[in-house]
Amino acid sequence: MGKPISSNIVYRTVNVSAPDMSRDGKFLTFTKSWIDDQELEDRSQIEITSLEDGSIVRFTHGRKDSHPLFSHDDKYLGFLRADSNGKNQVWTIPMRGGEAVQATKLVGGVSDFSWSPTDYRIVIVSNVDPDELTTDDDPKKNPRVKVVNRIKYRHDVLGWRGDGHRQLFVADVITGDCSQITYGDFENYAPAWSPNGYEIAFISERSDDRDLFDYSQAYVVSSAGGNPEMRSSGLHTISTIAWSPNGNGLIVVGSDIEDGSASYQGWIYTMNPGEGPKKITDDSIKPVAGFPPQGPFTKIHWTASGVVYFLADSQGETFLCSISESGGEVNRIYGGDAQLTAMSLNEDNSLAAVVSISPESPGSIEVVKIPSGESKKITNYNRDYLAEHSLAKLEKFELERAGFRIQSRVMLPPNFDDSKKYPMILEIHGGPNGVFTDAFNPLHQVLANAGYVVLAVNPRGSSTYGSDFTMAVLNDWGGEDYLDLMQAVDEMIEKPYVDESRMGVHGYSYGGYMTSWIVGHTDRFQAAIVGAPCIDLSSMSGTSDIGISFGEKQWGGRRDVVFDELMKRSPITYAPNVDTPVLLLHGESDLRCPISQSEQYFVSLKRLGKEVEFVRFPDGAHGFRNSGHIKMREEYLNRVLNWYEKHLPK
């Protein structure tokens, strides 16, 4: 048996992302990311592998290079690298060798780009802020007020927005010419070139009520600029966009449900001239797409032979799929028992590169032959770490409750012995439209390796189980979703190896909401860990960056109209009922679930004489567990483990 996986896993594993295959299918480039344990910082660089001999070479040597893309003729590689001001810019390097050259010098930096299919132009997404400070501005000597005129003035991922918006630019990397092609009080992202290079499709939020709701549409603009034309009438949200092979139509992952989201449950639509959107996929799958407005935006390919290739989730698993442009049966070419997060195809669509994250591996790149589905692993950077350590074993079960089948995943400790009694942790995902998948989860591995059985439930509201299942949580937080979780717990305590007297519960974001809801409604758990929760839905609606656009959909309407219902659904209302020891974990810079939510809950519980501890993570945004300072990521895992070891003695 190997060594147990502990919190130091955050320093040891390597991640791969953003694969891009050369047109001829001979080379594959990707981003390799790891932690520099001397400087305690994230590092990433571009690597290239020859698919003929399997050799992998480092292609760039920057500190944080990312997002590699081949030019139309495979002669150049473009990628993102920070300039001297810390803003990402596009850099290019010849494939035959040479030094990297900075291709853009945009004040707002570059968050995304794409090569023209015909020449050496690139379309760029860059923030344009009329109040952008100069690089030599000293806020200590020259402090400035911030003026707010719209609700969406900040974003947990993008940071302070003010009056800034992402706009599209087109640049020629040879001549250096660069021009802005979109303008106005709109967000623009996910650009895609038409096959002839004359037009650019993109996603934008341009409805009159865009400050209130997250509606998005597909637009097309000339690559020289002009008035964009809207092409997705009839759809409410778009999360991925691409062109038809003849350049006349578009294909998108979208949703026609007003209160829905294409990111959580969308469908593939084709949009040809003179026709409305045509849905070609059904509810049995969820096409993998982006999360506007920040991305990344997963690729989709509409081929000249009339076949569409894409990634799709189904019941917590991902598949590389194909379907006819006219619709019909979805062909699952490859996948299952893993999560696939990115895809790139060669020019003749005979090979696909995917990033695969399985329960046994934090991630590798695999190349899949089409249509056979035969695969080959290209990277295996975590091989030595995994060989040295013990892995938890994944099992699944389903139960039927109130009209839905509820699926759960169970992580069993290494060297599991069903004749022994184990403490159990109920894990609750965020969202509420998140999902637990067949993928490597560091927290679950750490807990299982410490001797806990981990129960990860996908209650109603989770994605990848169809639209009705996903939408069932609207206006019902703490209702049927809570009962789904409790029935899954009931199923588990019937197992001879689960010790009902030693049960804990943990959740983050919406999972933090549900954890605090649980301890206000039952005392069956002996320890609770509440991560970045929503505690008071009324105050949450006015302080979260998505309190209006997200909250009003989820909670039933405007605060003044549904105030009584918000208080009924708020865990803080039930603080007097809490008898379970509670640990609160929250990032101090969280804009999604502001730290004031935990502050309120801590004071309420403390004033009532409850056992509660509050841990604040400096500079931590909502996603700091995955992308914050490495010491804080490690600290989160340690705090979780220590709380359970204190209250659930083995």
Side-chain angles (χ1 to χ4, degrees), residues 187-225:
E187 292 289 339
N188 310 282
Y189 42 86
W193 289 89
S194 64
N196 61 14
Y198 293 160
E199 295 178 302
I200 294 169
F202 62 100
I203 304 173
S204 188
E205 301 169 4
R206 295 177 175 238
S207 64
D208 292 340
D209 51 8
R210 59 188 174 277
D211 202 29
L212 303 177
F213 306 109
D214 287 333
Y215 298 145
S216 54
Q217 299 291 342
Y219 286 83
V220 171
V221 67
S222 166
S223 59

Side-chain angles (χ1 to χ4, degrees), residues 264 429-435 461 473 477 508-511 546 550 554 622:
Y264 291 118
H429 64 63
N433 305 125
V435 62
V473 75
W477 283 29
Y508 193 87
S509 192
Y510 164 82
I546 58 171
F550 168 83
Q554 292 284 332
H622 195 61

Side-chain angles (χ1 to χ4, degrees), residues 82-274:
D83 60 18
S84 58
N85 296 316
K87 296 291 184 71
N88 271 344
Q89 304 290 350
V90 177
W91 296 64
T92 63
I93 188 168
M95 285 299 297
R96 65 180 182 274
E99 295 298 320
V101 176
Q102 185 175 334
T104 63
K105 296 181 180 180
L106 291 164
V107 174
V110 177
S111 59
D112 192 12
F113 79 99
S114 179
W115 286 97
S116 162
T118 60
D119 51 35
Y120 299 119
R121 291 175 298 159
I122 53 175
V123 60
I124 302 155
V125 180
S126 180
N127 193 55
V128 176
D129 186 350
D131 299 316
E132 182 83 26
L133 297 177
T134 60
T135 56
D136 59 353
D137 186 84
D138 186 344
K140 292 183 179 180
K141 294 181 179 180
N142 184 32
R144 295 177 60 182
V145 299
K146 292 182 176 180
V147 179
V148 175
N149 291 299
R150 58 184 178 128
I151 291 175
K152 293 182 179 179
Y153 67 93
R154 55 184 181 158
H155 188 280
D156 188 73
V157 176
L158 303 175
W160 174 262
R161 305 299 295 132
D163 289 324
H165 295 85
R166 279 164 304 164
Q167 304 290 356
L168 302 186
F169 294 74
V170 170
D172 188 312
V173 302
I174 304 300
T175 66
D177 293 337
C178 184
S179 59
Q180 185 174 337
I181 64 169
T182 63
Y183 297 85
D185 182 28
F186 316 117
E187 292 289 339
N188 310 282
Y189 42 86
W193 289 89
S194 64
N196 61 14
Y198 293 160
E199 295 178 302
I200 294 169
F202 62 100
I203 304 173
S204 188
E205 301 169 4
R206 295 177 175 238
S207 64
D208 292 340
D209 51 8
R210 59 188 174 277
D211 202 29
L212 303 177
F213 306 109
D214 287 333
Y215 298 145
S216 54
Q217 299 291 342
Y219 286 83
V220 171
V221 67
S222 166
S223 59
N227 292 321
E229 175 190 356
M230 200 265 279
R231 294 279 187 92
S232 58
S233 179
L235 300 181
H236 290 286
T237 57
I238 307 290
S239 57
T240 287
I241 189 168
W243 286 87
S244 64
N246 61 15
N248 291 328
L250 298 173
I251 189 166
V252 301
V253 175
S255 173
D256 58 1
I257 300 177
E258 186 171 5
D259 288 336
S261 167
S263 298
Y264 291 118
Q265 177 59 60
W267 297 267
I268 295 179
Y269 295 82
T270 57
M271 297 182 295
N272 289 306

Side-chain angles (χ1 to χ4, degrees), residues 374-393:
E374 180 184 348
S375 67
K376 180 181 180 181
K377 183 177 287 190
I378 301 301
T379 66
N380 198 11
Y381 293 118
N382 297 299
R383 176 181 51 222
D384 292 343
Y385 177 85
L386 296 172
E388 295 170 0
H389 292 78
S390 301
L391 288 172
K393 179 185 177 183

Side-chain angles (χ1 to χ4, degrees), residues 267-293:
W267 297 267
I268 295 179
Y269 295 82
T270 57
M271 297 182 295
N272 289 306
E275 302 176 5
K278 178 184 177 182
K279 184 186 293 186
I280 65 171
T281 58
D282 61 22
D283 219 27
S284 64
I285 59 169
K286 181 188 86 70
V288 176
F291 282 88

